[in-house]
């Protein structure tokens, strides 16, 4: 799998690039504005480290590019590939059609299954239907947390979740190191 | 005709079930709480719940760190040597 060290390096490089572009434009920003800029640079850097290979990274880049001023930052961090990566989100909807078909088949099979088991063991069927409802409810919550999650089928959702968590962890580690190091230096 | 259709949908979900089990086990490896508990029987809904909680806590941490860095840059003592280092790095 991709090594976490190189992921952090990639993230750090792009993040610093983004921070430099943000701060060079306006010297006196409010604390809130600067925080938003730091966070935005971090998210774009994290997404661009995946180079358009995952759905969540494409969705993140697409939503970050919606504002005119933010789009400029996105283009600067992503570099020459930015146009291609921003447009990729639009073409990924092709996967929607197949995933919808698979999902509707699974829903159909699941609903048939529930009807069948209820005849044999009502208690077990009740427990399993509660469990299924819980799983479905939690899956909905997860879909809202992952960028672009509403469009994924179950399998892709879990794959994207795995990658998203790994990237988030790298992002947090790098940001924490920079924050601690800066604070240490500042207190001297 | 109907048997073929049901066999088709069954084969699609059979592949997905195995994949889902494998992916869920990978997810369990990543979650700090479940990994330490060392029990083999963790329900899917528990894994999903822990995943959502973990992602939310990671988001909160990114937010906190951005806040800290922002305040740091605002209060930095502009004449010190350290400020110059930090400034050249991220500003």
């Amino acid at each position: 799998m991709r090594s976490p060290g190189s992921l952090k390096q990639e993230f750090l490089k792009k993040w610093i690039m983004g921070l430099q572009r943000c701060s060079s434009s306006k010297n006196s920003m409010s604390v809130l504005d600067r925080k938003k800029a730091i966070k935005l640079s971090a998210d774009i850097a994290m997404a661009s480290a995946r180079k358009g290979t995952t759905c969540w990274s494409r969705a993140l880049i697409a939503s970050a590019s919606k504002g005119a001023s933010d789009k400029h930052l996105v283009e600067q961090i992503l570099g020459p590939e930015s146009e291609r990566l921003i447009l990729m989100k639009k073409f990924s909807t092709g996967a929607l059609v197949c995933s919808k078909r698979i999902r509707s088949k699974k829903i159909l099979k699941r609903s048939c299954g529930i009807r069948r088991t209820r005849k044999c063991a009502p208690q077990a069927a009740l427990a399993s239907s509660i469990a299924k409802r819980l799983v479905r409810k939690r899956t909905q919550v997860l879909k809202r947390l992952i960028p672009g999650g509403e469009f994924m089928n179950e399998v892709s959702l879990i794959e994207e979740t795995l990658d998203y968590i790994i990237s988030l962890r790298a992002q947090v580690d790098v940001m924490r190191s920079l924050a601690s190091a800066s604070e240490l230096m500042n207190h001297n | 005709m109907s048997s073929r259709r049901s066999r088709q949908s069954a084969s699609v979900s059979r592949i997905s079930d195995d994949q889902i089990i494998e992916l869920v086990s990978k997810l369990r490896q990543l979650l700090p709480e479940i990994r330490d508990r060392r029990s083999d029987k963790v329900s899917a809904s528990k894994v999903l719940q822990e995943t959502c909680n973990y992602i939310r806590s990671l988001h909160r941490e990114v937010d906190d760190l951005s806040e800290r860095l922002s305040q740091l840059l605002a209060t930095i003592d502009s004449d010190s040597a350290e400020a110059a280092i930090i400034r050249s790095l991220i500003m």
Side-chain angles (χ1 to χ4, degrees):
Chain A
M1 246 192 132
R2 311 157 206 182
S3 71
S6 68
L7 182 60
K8 286 186 193 177
Q9 269 184 337
E10 192 66 32
F11 167 75
L12 181 62
K13 215 181 354 167
K14 300 239 163 93
W15 184 41
I16 300 239
M17 208 190 308
L19 289 173
Q20 285 173 331
R21 308 280 178 171
C22 278
S23 304
S24 66
S25 50
K26 299 176 217 170
N27 262 330
S28 56
M29 289 164 108
S30 71
V31 176
L32 188 60
D33 281 342
R34 189 171 277 125
K35 169 190 164 185
K36 283 192 205 160
I38 292 175
K39 196 157 173 221
L40 183 66
S41 304
D43 283 341
I44 299 172
M46 176 175 70
S48 82
R50 280 298 176 235
K51 298 190 177 59
T53 52
T54 57
C55 186
W56 67 263
S57 58
R58 294 195 295 264
L60 198 60
I61 291 176
S63 73
S65 316
K66 286 211 180 120
S69 55
D70 294 344
K71 183 166 183 195
H72 192 56
L73 181 63
V74 173
E75 285 168 356
Q76 288 186 318
I77 295 185
L78 294 177
E81 288 203 327
S82 63
E83 274 309 307
R84 179 180 74 87
L85 283 169
I86 294 176
L87 286 174
M88 263 177 103
K89 179 72 173 70
K90 299 194 182 155
F91 292 121
S92 70
T93 53
L96 275 182
V97 183
C98 339
S99 68
K100 271 196 182 146
R101 223 181 297 142
I102 297 178
R103 213 184 327 151
S104 54
K105 276 189 187 164
K106 278 165 78 174
I107 293 174
L108 183 66
K109 179 171 193 289
R110 221 179 277 147
S111 60
C112 294
I114 291 180
R115 233 182 295 138
R116 239 183 285 133
T117 52
R118 205 167 281 169
K119 287 183 188 163
C120 324
Q123 266 183 333
L126 182 64
S128 78
S129 72
I130 290 178
K132 280 179 188 150
R133 225 181 304 145
L134 261 180
V135 167
R136 203 165 309 164
K137 194 172 73 162
R138 303 235 158 98
T139 308
Q140 290 306 314
V141 175
L142 186 61
K143 280 189 176 180
R144 263 179 266 138
L145 283 174
I146 312 277
E150 312 89 50
F151 308 115
M152 302 174 196
N153 62 10
E154 292 185 1
V155 175
S156 311
L157 183 66
I158 301 183
E159 285 177 338
E160 295 278 328
T161 305
L162 287 167
D163 193 70
Y164 188 53
I165 290 183
I166 293 174
S167 302
L168 270 180
R169 286 226 281 229
Q171 183 189 50
V172 164
D173 284 344
V174 173
M175 288 177 85
R176 204 187 293 141
S177 310
L178 184 61
S180 323
S182 307
E183 279 165 3
L184 262 176
M185 281 206 289
N186 202 27
H187 283 314
N188 280 341
Chain B
M1 183 74 81
S2 63
S3 63
R4 198 194 322 150
R5 209 186 321 138
S6 63
R7 214 184 309 137
Q8 238 181 0
S9 67
S11 67
V12 166
S13 65
R14 207 180 301 137
I15 296 174
S16 304
D17 277 348
D18 286 341
Q19 273 185 306
I20 289 179
I21 290 174
E22 184 197 324
L23 292 172
V24 168
S25 70
K26 279 193 194 156
L27 204 53
R28 274 175 52 195
Q29 296 304 310
L30 284 179
L31 301 175
E33 296 201 5
I34 295 187
R35 186 186 51 208
D36 298 334
R37 218 177 286 165
R38 222 184 295 170
S39 99
D40 268 343
K41 296 187 181 176
V42 189
S43 67
S45 69
K46 182 78 175 160
V47 171
L48 284 171
Q49 187 185 27
E50 290 305 319
T51 307
C52 295
N53 290 341
Y54 190 45
I55 293 183
R56 273 194 280 247
S57 79
L58 285 173
H59 282 167
R60 261 200 310 263
E61 207 170 341
V62 169
D63 207 63
D64 284 344
L65 286 167
S66 307
E67 177 79 34
R68 264 167 70 186
L69 276 169
S70 167
Q71 294 195 333
L72 191 76
L73 291 176
T75 63
I76 209 163
D77 183 12
S78 11
D79 287 337
S80 62
E82 294 88 3
I85 297 175
I86 296 178
R87 212 177 295 136
S88 69
L89 190 62
I90 58 178
M91 289 178 76

